[in-house]
Amino acid sequence: IDIIKTKDTSRFRSTVGMLGPACSDTVEPIAGVSKHFRTVVISYSAEGSISSDNSNDYPYFFRTIAENKQYKHAYIATLQALGWSKVAALTQDGQKYSDYMS
């Protein structure tokens, strides 16, 4: 995690944002707190946890890659092109990737 500060560090609020975290599990609590401090959080690789459906809860959170749910059309097209009618997904952490399944 990198902290983005203004050039004028004598100001009370010199921190303007945060670059990271990379992990989806870590980004949700940080993005949740950021709205209270009005601090921007930019994640460069967190794909899950926070979706565009609940963006009002995380007004200062931005990501540089798409969220997991936006890939579903590509997955469906690939599986249909391969002629697969059934697919199973195994995860270690229970419901961690439940947004992939429907």
Side-chain angles (χ1 to χ4, degrees), residues 15-81:
T15 301
V16 294
M18 207 179 248
L19 182 60
C23 178
S24 295
D25 293 338
T26 310
V27 78
E28 189 170 2
I30 293 173
V33 170
S34 73
K35 72 178 177 180
H36 301 290
F37 294 97
R38 292 181 289 171
T39 303
V40 173
V41 176
I42 302 170
S43 178
Y44 53 88
S45 70
E47 300 168 329
S49 286
I50 300 172
S51 85
S52 57
D53 299 336
N54 58 357
S55 61
N56 291 336
D57 295 334
Y58 306 98
Y60 293 96
F61 174 70
F62 301 92
R63 65 176 96 228
T64 59
I65 61 169
E67 62 182 279
N68 288 334
K69 288 196 264 185
Q70 293 178 338
Y71 295 109
K72 70 181 176 184
H73 301 293
Y75 294 146
I76 290 170
T78 302
L79 297 174
Q80 288 174 341

